[in-house]
Amino acid sequence: MINEVIDDPKESRLIAFDFKRLPTKKAISKMGLLDEWNQRLIQDWVVKEDHNEIIDGVWMTNATGIVKTPTSTRGKLHYRKTKLCAMALRNSDDSCKAVVEMQNDMVYLTAAEVDPKQRGKGLMASLYNLITKFAFEFAGAERIIARADLPRKSLYPKNINNSNDWRDTINPITGNTFLLDAWLKQEGSYKITGYDGEEKYNAFAILSPDIVKTGDELGYLKSKGHIFNQFK
């Protein structure tokens, strides 16, 4: 819907006219909206504390995300606030949590986090197992799509770790963030260019064992529009 607005010639002229009328400082302050166009910016999460074990080791409940999305009305750029319905997952000892959305044969990994107080203890595999077990064994999905970025809102608001965060540091060897490299080390995980017709940075996909068995993982990802150009 947002793309339909911005692609409309009349709406584009209104936006351009609005920018010309704004004082320089205000125009500059609004430029961030264009940079974030068509992105959902999650500001907060509300997760129900009534998880039920849906499959061995995977506990699930409902979650609501408070989201703002850049949009425009008669050329005036502003944020539109909406709510996002999703599912919240955790493992048995609550050391790993995730928020996911389902769409057809795909699971969107909206947020995933290891308890900040337990980072560096080898729990990445546990987080991976939580998400893949839900997606492939319970939901019957073919792939998980995600971006390896720090969550805007921690899933552990009471366990914030104030030490230096290694996750968004660039690995000088690979050129990726260390968080993206950590995901790419997991079984069935591949770096991708984007999804939903949009290029995404730090994007990756985790394929189900059935897709991996075909031996044509990159062909599958290209057919689904997740690879726009070939990585080295």
Side-chain angles (χ1 to χ4, degrees), residues 30-45:
K30 293 280 188 180
M31 290 301 291
L33 283 161
L34 293 178
D35 292 338
E36 296 166 350
W37 199 264
N38 202 34
Q39 292 187 29
R40 297 180 312 179
L41 308 175
I42 298 169
Q43 295 179 296
D44 199 1
W45 289 108

Side-chain angles (χ1 to χ4, degrees), residues 4-16:
E4 291 173 0
V5 173
I6 196 65
D7 287 342
D8 182 86
K10 182 179 180 181
E11 185 68 18
S12 298
R13 287 195 297 271
L14 285 170
I15 291 172

Side-chain angles (χ1 to χ4, degrees), residues 53-59 90-93 126 129-130 133:
E53 191 171 24
I54 56 171
I55 190 172
D56 186 33
V58 178
W59 297 70
R90 67 168 176 83
N91 59 358
S92 300
D93 64 3
S126 298
N129 288 335
L130 170 69
K133 196 163 192 176

